[in-house]
């Protein structure tokens, strides 16, 4: 029984590792479950060895391309299978079976006749090129093939014999009825673009669009003169008549030397320090205590500092190895307490804060309480300038100055801290800087004002304004007509008007 297959051409698929082998069966050993191929080809390339032996354990699929006795099937002239047998290994039943025709290298390749396509040339073409060649043939040869017909026949091969009778026109008609889609006859007709374009009345369509736009704008349509059309509005159009925008919504009894404006164009006048101090005293009398004001200032200043440090691009869980460092320079006054409050909020947001505050025999109660809270955050508190970092930090927050005690600038600790800030080459943010006519000891890049801005000099840098929660009627008590310029923010930039 095994000798009946000797001389047959087979294709053996040994999986992705070993590949596909094709050749002539030279021996079949049923005892050892092996099969040998003579003159084998490996993945379409002729093997250097004259014979290869395969074990049944390595065979995934086996295709019989040509039976030696030739009584079961008919071969194509080049050795391509026209209707083949497939034998699967029982141990790899789930292995995919290739349905494409396998070209076995023949002894001599026949020359392709005129008007025909060589089978090997057909196999080398892509799927789109083969269908393009089929489209150029006559309609009688244009047919649709399923997976069996496309894998078992080339475009110019005859249908296998059935009962020894050649297939004629009757068989072709049956193939067209079975595998045809019924629309091939109309593929040769050109599409009539001019005829279909004539069916489209552009004038009527554009007239209808023009009419709808006029109605949407509230104008009268092109209908009868007395026709009344309802007004239509867009989904984002305001149906109320907009009032003219008033940009000067804040008026002060004693305007300062400067005027600022917001990004939206609202005018924010500056005020004198005396009017600003009186505003805070009235607010404190109505319940906005110093502790509340310190907390509000610390929150706004820390939000601005976090934005300057990089915001969400810098402060992320994946960037814990590059935590920003902030040096906080504070004096023994209310402005220093505001800076300590800001440092506490920054430390709570995983910012490394180094607080500089000299040791004094007696300090304000608010400073003592703020220092106690800051100590719970794990931040570093130093009292000597030598303990500040030698390398540049990410940001320096300056709260050394005071509005009333200008003599602090003569103190040695003040001059040493100011010199360190100017030499550190880090950007400086000043919180509530004073206006005393003197040049600032520390050159700031940004300055943050509270409630209403003061007339800051040019050395104060870019001016920002924060909302500390002063009610509208408190402004009215000191003679200020106030309308909030903050919108949806608590810190806004100001520009020189």
């Amino acid at each position: 029984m095994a000798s009946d297959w000797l001389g047959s051409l087979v294709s053996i698929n040994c999986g992705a590792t070993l590949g596909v082998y094709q050749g002539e069966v030279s021996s079949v050993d049923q005892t050892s479950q092996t099969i040998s191929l003579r003159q084998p080809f490996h993945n379409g390339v002729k093997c250097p060895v004259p014979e290869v032996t395969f074990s049944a354990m390595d065979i995934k699929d086996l295709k019989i391309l040509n039976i030696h006795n030739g009584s079961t099937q008919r071969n194509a002239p080049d050795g391509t299978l026209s209707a083949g047998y497939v034998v699967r290994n029982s141990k790899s039943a789930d292995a995919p079976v290739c349905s494409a025709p396998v070209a076995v290298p023949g002894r001599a390749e026949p020359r392709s006749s005129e008007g025909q396509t060589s089978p090997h040339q057909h196999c080398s073409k892509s799927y789109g090129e083969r269908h393009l060649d089929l489209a150029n043939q006559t309609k009688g040869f244009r047919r649709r093939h399923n997976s069996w017909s496309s894998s078992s026949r080339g475009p110019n091969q005859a249908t296998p014999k059935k009962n020894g009778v050649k297939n004629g026109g009757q068989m072709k008609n049956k193939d067209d009825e079975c595998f045809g889609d019924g629309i091939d006859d109309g593929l040769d007709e050109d599409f009539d673009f001019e005829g279909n374009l004539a069916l489209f009345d552009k004038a009527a369509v554009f007239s209808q669009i023009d009419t709808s736009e006029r109605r949407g704008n509230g104008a009268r349509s092109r209908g009868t003169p007395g026709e009344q059309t309802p007004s239509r509005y867009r989904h984002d159009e305001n149906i109320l008549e907009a009032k003219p925008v008033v940009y000067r919504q804040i008026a002060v009894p004693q305007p300062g030397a400067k005027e600022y404006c917001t990004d939206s164009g609202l005018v924010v006048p500056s005020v004198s320090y005396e009017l600003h101090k009186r505003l805070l005293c009235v607010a404190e009398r109505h319940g906005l205590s110093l502790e509340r004001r310190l907390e509000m200032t610390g929150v706004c200043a820390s939000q601005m500092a976090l934005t300057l440090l990089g915001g969400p691009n810098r402060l992320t869980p994946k960037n814990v190895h590059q935590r920003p460092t902030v040096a906080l320079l504070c004096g023994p006054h209310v402005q220093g307490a505001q800076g300590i409050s800001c440092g506490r909020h920054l430390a709570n947001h995983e910012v490394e804060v180094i607080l500089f505050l000299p040791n004094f025999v007696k300090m304000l109660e608010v400073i003592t309480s703020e220092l106690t809270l800051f100590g719970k955050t794990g931040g570093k508190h130093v009292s000597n300038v030598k303990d500040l970092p030698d390398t540049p930090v990410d940001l320096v927050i300056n709260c050394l100055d005071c509005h009333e005690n200008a003599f602090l600038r003569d103190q040695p600790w003040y001059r040493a801290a100011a010199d360190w800030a100017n030499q550190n080459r880090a950007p400086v943010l000043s919180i509530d800087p004073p206006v005393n006519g003197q040049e600032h000891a520390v050159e700031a890049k940004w300055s943050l004002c509270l409630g209403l801005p003061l007339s800051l000099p040019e050395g104060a840098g870019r001016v920002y304004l924060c909302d500390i929660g002063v009610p509208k009627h408190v402004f009215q008590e000191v003679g200020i007509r106030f309308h909030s310029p903050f919108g949806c923010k608590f810190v806004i930039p100001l520009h020189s008007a």
Side-chain angles (χ1 to χ4, degrees), residues 290 293-294 331-339 364 366-367 401-402 432:
L290 177 61
R293 194 169 77 242
L294 291 178
H333 37 65
V334 176
Q335 281 71 26
Q338 294 173 352
L364 297 177
V366 290
I367 295 181
D401 295 303
C402 178
D432 194 14

Side-chain angles (χ1 to χ4, degrees), residues 9-13 20-23 41 43-44 63-66 75-76 78-82 98-105 120 123 150-152:
L9 294 178
V10 297
S11 176
I12 299 177
N13 185 2
V20 180
Y21 288 83
Q22 298 173 346
F41 281 77
N43 293 332
K63 287 186 179 183
I64 302 174
L65 305 178
N66 183 15
N75 250 12
D78 63 340
T80 307
L81 179 66
S82 59
C98 179
S99 62
V102 181
V104 180
H120 294 284
C123 295
S150 61
S151 62
S152 62

Side-chain angles (χ1 to χ4, degrees), residues 92 120 148 157 171 176-177 191-192 209 229 257 363 371 431 497:
S92 60
H120 294 284
W148 178 85
Q157 292 178 348
M171 181 61 68
D176 292 337
E177 292 178 1
F191 182 76
D192 189 5
I209 294 175
T229 57
M363 290 188 294
L371 274 178
I431 300 178

Side-chain angles (χ1 to χ4, degrees), residues 17-38:
T17 304
L18 298 180
V20 180
Y21 288 83
Q22 298 173 346
E24 182 180 347
V25 179
S26 60
S27 65
V28 178
D29 191 348
Q30 296 180 348
T31 304
S32 59
Q33 293 291 305
T34 60
I35 182 173
S36 299
L37 299 184
R38 184 187 302 116

Side-chain angles (χ1 to χ4, degrees), residues 330-348:
C330 298
H333 37 65
V334 176
Q335 281 71 26
Q338 294 173 352
I340 300 174
S341 176
C342 173
R344 169 167 55 89
H345 289 288
L346 290 177
N348 291 337

